[in-house]
mmCIF file of all heavy atoms in Angstrom:
data_model
loop_
_atom_site.group_PDB
_atom_site.id
_atom_site.type_symbol
_atom_site.label_atom_id
_atom_site.label_comp_id
_atom_site.label_asym_id
_atom_site.label_seq_id
_atom_site.Cartn_x
_atom_site.Cartn_y
_atom_site.Cartn_z
ATOM 1 N N CYS J 642 -49.958 73.024 147.680
ATOM 2 C CA CYS J 642 -49.472 72.350 148.891
ATOM 3 C C CYS J 642 -48.097 72.930 149.266
ATOM 4 O O CYS J 642 -47.200 73.000 148.452
ATOM 5 C CB CYS J 642 -49.355 70.846 148.641
ATOM 6 S SG CYS J 642 -48.593 69.951 150.015
ATOM 7 N N GLU J 643 -47.959 73.313 150.520
ATOM 8 C CA GLU J 643 -46.727 73.944 151.012
ATOM 9 C C GLU J 643 -45.844 72.964 151.777
ATOM 10 O O GLU J 643 -44.938 73.403 152.506
ATOM 11 C CB GLU J 643 -47.078 75.141 151.908
ATOM 12 C CG GLU J 643 -47.845 76.260 151.223
ATOM 13 C CD GLU J 643 -46.965 77.126 150.352
ATOM 14 O OE1 GLU J 643 -45.788 76.778 150.140
ATOM 15 O OE2 GLU J 643 -47.472 78.158 149.874
ATOM 16 N N CYS J 644 -46.104 71.665 151.644
ATOM 17 C CA CYS J 644 -45.285 70.695 152.393
ATOM 18 C C CYS J 644 -43.785 70.923 152.231
ATOM 19 O O CYS J 644 -43.052 70.920 153.241
ATOM 20 C CB CYS J 644 -45.625 69.268 151.953
ATOM 21 S SG CYS J 644 -47.083 68.582 152.737
ATOM 22 N N ILE J 647 -42.712 73.716 154.444
ATOM 23 C CA ILE J 647 -42.940 73.380 155.860
ATOM 24 C C ILE J 647 -41.853 72.436 156.360
ATOM 25 O O ILE J 647 -41.331 72.571 157.455
ATOM 26 C CB ILE J 647 -44.347 72.762 156.044
ATOM 27 C CG1 ILE J 647 -45.420 73.845 155.837
ATOM 28 C CG2 ILE J 647 -44.503 72.110 157.411
ATOM 29 C CD1 ILE J 647 -46.823 73.315 155.687
ATOM 30 N N CYS J 657 -50.418 77.684 154.559
ATOM 31 C CA CYS J 657 -50.933 77.003 153.357
ATOM 32 C C CYS J 657 -52.405 77.320 153.195
ATOM 33 O O CYS J 657 -53.194 77.089 154.129
ATOM 34 C CB CYS J 657 -50.706 75.492 153.481
ATOM 35 S SG CYS J 657 -51.463 74.575 152.140
ATOM 36 N N LEU J 659 -54.551 75.780 151.609
ATOM 37 C CA LEU J 659 -55.386 74.569 151.576
ATOM 38 C C LEU J 659 -55.651 74.004 152.976
ATOM 39 O O LEU J 659 -56.517 73.162 153.158
ATOM 40 C CB LEU J 659 -54.714 73.482 150.736
ATOM 41 C CG LEU J 659 -54.303 73.858 149.310
ATOM 42 C CD1 LEU J 659 -53.766 72.628 148.597
ATOM 43 C CD2 LEU J 659 -55.486 74.435 148.540
ATOM 44 N N PHE J 660 -54.864 74.490 153.963
ATOM 45 C CA PHE J 660 -54.941 73.943 155.307
ATOM 46 C C PHE J 660 -56.362 74.108 155.901
ATOM 47 O O PHE J 660 -56.871 75.220 156.007
ATOM 48 C CB PHE J 660 -53.929 74.646 156.213
ATOM 49 C CG PHE J 660 -53.997 74.202 157.675
ATOM 50 C CD1 PHE J 660 -53.400 73.022 158.087
ATOM 51 C CD2 PHE J 660 -54.684 74.952 158.603
ATOM 52 C CE1 PHE J 660 -53.456 72.607 159.407
ATOM 53 C CE2 PHE J 660 -54.759 74.536 159.944
ATOM 54 C CZ PHE J 660 -54.138 73.371 160.327
ATOM 55 N N CYS J 664 -57.634 70.709 152.439
ATOM 56 C CA CYS J 664 -56.786 69.668 153.005
ATOM 57 C C CYS J 664 -57.080 69.451 154.490
ATOM 58 O O CYS J 664 -56.893 70.362 155.316
ATOM 59 C CB CYS J 664 -55.310 70.058 152.821
ATOM 60 S SG CYS J 664 -54.189 68.806 153.437
ATOM 61 N N MET J 670 -53.991 66.428 151.184
ATOM 62 C CA MET J 670 -53.409 66.799 149.905
ATOM 63 C C MET J 670 -51.881 66.644 149.904
ATOM 64 O O MET J 670 -51.247 66.685 148.880
ATOM 65 C CB MET J 670 -53.742 68.263 149.548
ATOM 66 C CG MET J 670 -55.215 68.568 149.529
ATOM 67 S SD MET J 670 -56.107 67.595 148.283
ATOM 68 C CE MET J 670 -55.543 68.372 146.789
ATOM 69 N N GLY J 671 -51.314 66.533 151.089
ATOM 70 C CA GLY J 671 -49.866 66.390 151.198
ATOM 71 C C GLY J 671 -49.516 65.476 152.349
ATOM 72 O O GLY J 671 -50.338 65.190 153.240
ATOM 73 N N MET J 674 -50.095 66.220 156.225
ATOM 74 C CA MET J 674 -51.430 66.081 156.823
ATOM 75 C C MET J 674 -51.777 64.608 157.049
ATOM 76 O O MET J 674 -52.695 64.296 157.821
ATOM 77 C CB MET J 674 -52.476 66.740 155.902
ATOM 78 C CG MET J 674 -53.849 66.866 156.500
ATOM 79 S SD MET J 674 -53.903 67.846 158.037
ATOM 80 C CE MET J 674 -54.414 69.457 157.432
ATOM 81 N N CYS J 681 -48.737 69.440 159.739
ATOM 82 C CA CYS J 681 -50.114 69.871 159.441
ATOM 83 C C CYS J 681 -51.108 69.053 160.271
ATOM 84 O O CYS J 681 -52.101 69.595 160.769
ATOM 85 C CB CYS J 681 -50.402 69.722 157.934
ATOM 86 S SG CYS J 681 -49.321 70.734 156.933
HETATM 87 S S1 SF4 D 1514 -52.221 71.715 154.724
HETATM 88 FE FE1 SF4 D 1514 -52.198 70.007 153.278
HETATM 89 S S2 SF4 D 1514 -51.783 70.934 151.297
HETATM 90 FE FE2 SF4 D 1514 -51.179 72.416 152.872
HETATM 91 S S3 SF4 D 1514 -49.017 72.014 153.273
HETATM 92 FE FE3 SF4 D 1514 -50.150 70.791 154.735
HETATM 93 S S4 SF4 D 1514 -50.398 68.807 153.738
HETATM 94 FE FE4 SF4 D 1514 -49.789 70.252 152.107
#
Side-chain angles (χ1 to χ4, degrees):
C642 174
E643 298 283 8
C644 278
I647 290 168
C657 174
L659 306 184
F660 177 81
C664 182
M670 303 299 288
M674 190 59 98
C681 298

